[in-house]
PDB file of all heavy atoms in Angstrom:
ATOM      1  N   ARG A  35     -42.492  65.499  -3.332  1.00  0.00           N
ATOM      2  CA  ARG A  35     -42.142  66.240  -2.125  1.00  0.00           C
ATOM      3  C   ARG A  35     -40.933  67.143  -2.322  1.00  0.00           C
ATOM      4  O   ARG A  35     -40.601  67.952  -1.446  1.00  0.00           O
ATOM      5  CB  ARG A  35     -41.910  65.294  -0.940  1.00  0.00           C
ATOM      6  CG  ARG A  35     -40.627  64.488  -1.010  1.00  0.00           C
ATOM      7  CD  ARG A  35     -40.439  63.607   0.219  1.00  0.00           C
ATOM      8  NE  ARG A  35     -40.340  64.385   1.447  1.00  0.00           N
ATOM      9  CZ  ARG A  35     -40.030  63.841   2.633  1.00  0.00           C
ATOM     10  NH1 ARG A  35     -39.832  62.544   2.754  1.00  0.00           N
ATOM     11  NH2 ARG A  35     -39.951  64.602   3.704  1.00  0.00           N
ATOM     12  N   GLU A  82     -41.316  60.335  -3.540  1.00  0.00           N
ATOM     13  CA  GLU A  82     -39.866  60.449  -3.384  1.00  0.00           C
ATOM     14  C   GLU A  82     -39.056  59.934  -4.566  1.00  0.00           C
ATOM     15  O   GLU A  82     -37.835  60.080  -4.569  1.00  0.00           O
ATOM     16  CB  GLU A  82     -39.432  59.709  -2.109  1.00  0.00           C
ATOM     17  CG  GLU A  82     -40.051  60.293  -0.859  1.00  0.00           C
ATOM     18  CD  GLU A  82     -39.669  59.576   0.415  1.00  0.00           C
ATOM     19  OE1 GLU A  82     -39.656  58.324   0.423  1.00  0.00           O
ATOM     20  OE2 GLU A  82     -39.387  60.261   1.404  1.00  0.00           O
ATOM     21  N   LYS A 219     -38.657  67.309   7.065  1.00  0.00           N
ATOM     22  CA  LYS A 219     -39.462  66.247   7.666  1.00  0.00           C
ATOM     23  C   LYS A 219     -40.781  66.824   8.152  1.00  0.00           C
ATOM     24  O   LYS A 219     -40.806  67.839   8.847  1.00  0.00           O
ATOM     25  CB  LYS A 219     -38.713  65.604   8.827  1.00  0.00           C
ATOM     26  CG  LYS A 219     -39.447  64.426   9.461  1.00  0.00           C
ATOM     27  CD  LYS A 219     -38.607  63.789  10.554  1.00  0.00           C
ATOM     28  CE  LYS A 219     -39.362  62.637  11.207  1.00  0.00           C
ATOM     29  NZ  LYS A 219     -38.561  61.968  12.261  1.00  0.00           N
ATOM     30  N   PRO A 220     -41.906  66.195   7.800  1.00  0.00           N
ATOM     31  CA  PRO A 220     -43.199  66.761   8.191  1.00  0.00           C
ATOM     32  C   PRO A 220     -43.568  66.448   9.633  1.00  0.00           C
ATOM     33  O   PRO A 220     -43.132  65.447  10.204  1.00  0.00           O
ATOM     34  CB  PRO A 220     -44.180  66.076   7.233  1.00  0.00           C
ATOM     35  CG  PRO A 220     -43.549  64.747   6.968  1.00  0.00           C
ATOM     36  CD  PRO A 220     -42.060  64.994   6.961  1.00  0.00           C
ATOM     37  N   ALA A 246     -40.827  55.085   9.404  1.00  0.00           N
ATOM     38  CA  ALA A 246     -40.056  55.367   8.199  1.00  0.00           C
ATOM     39  C   ALA A 246     -39.560  54.060   7.596  1.00  0.00           C
ATOM     40  O   ALA A 246     -39.528  53.012   8.257  1.00  0.00           O
ATOM     41  CB  ALA A 246     -38.878  56.276   8.531  1.00  0.00           C
ATOM     42  N   HIS A 291     -42.163  56.404   4.228  1.00  0.00           N
ATOM     43  CA  HIS A 291     -41.255  57.211   3.424  1.00  0.00           C
ATOM     44  C   HIS A 291     -39.869  57.195   4.064  1.00  0.00           C
ATOM     45  O   HIS A 291     -39.657  56.527   5.075  1.00  0.00           O
ATOM     46  CB  HIS A 291     -41.808  58.628   3.302  1.00  0.00           C
ATOM     47  CG  HIS A 291     -43.191  58.665   2.723  1.00  0.00           C
ATOM     48  ND1 HIS A 291     -43.448  58.473   1.388  1.00  0.00           N
ATOM     49  CD2 HIS A 291     -44.408  58.828   3.319  1.00  0.00           C
ATOM     50  CE1 HIS A 291     -44.749  58.538   1.169  1.00  0.00           C
ATOM     51  NE2 HIS A 291     -45.359  58.742   2.327  1.00  0.00           N
ATOM     52  N   ALA A 292     -38.939  57.940   3.485  1.00  0.00           N
ATOM     53  CA  ALA A 292     -37.559  57.871   3.947  1.00  0.00           C
ATOM     54  C   ALA A 292     -37.406  58.348   5.386  1.00  0.00           C
ATOM     55  O   ALA A 292     -36.536  57.863   6.116  1.00  0.00           O
ATOM     56  CB  ALA A 292     -36.657  58.704   3.027  1.00  0.00           C
ATOM     57  N   ASP A 293     -38.256  59.292   5.827  1.00  0.00           N
ATOM     58  CA  ASP A 293     -38.071  59.880   7.145  1.00  0.00           C
ATOM     59  C   ASP A 293     -39.308  59.867   8.030  1.00  0.00           C
ATOM     60  O   ASP A 293     -39.273  60.350   9.158  1.00  0.00           O
ATOM     61  CB  ASP A 293     -37.577  61.329   7.002  1.00  0.00           C
ATOM     62  CG  ASP A 293     -38.497  62.167   6.113  1.00  0.00           C
ATOM     63  OD1 ASP A 293     -39.521  61.635   5.635  1.00  0.00           O
ATOM     64  OD2 ASP A 293     -38.187  63.347   5.874  1.00  0.00           O
ATOM     65  N   THR A 294     -40.410  59.315   7.551  1.00  0.00           N
ATOM     66  CA  THR A 294     -41.638  59.299   8.343  1.00  0.00           C
ATOM     67  C   THR A 294     -42.588  58.248   7.784  1.00  0.00           C
ATOM     68  O   THR A 294     -42.286  57.604   6.775  1.00  0.00           O
ATOM     69  CB  THR A 294     -42.316  60.691   8.338  1.00  0.00           C
ATOM     70  OG1 THR A 294     -43.381  60.692   9.292  1.00  0.00           O
ATOM     71  CG2 THR A 294     -42.873  61.028   6.970  1.00  0.00           C
TER      72      THR A 294
END
Side-chain angles (χ1 to χ4, degrees):
R35 72 178 298 187
E82 298 179 317
K219 183 177 178 179
H291 303 285
D293 54 1
T294 189

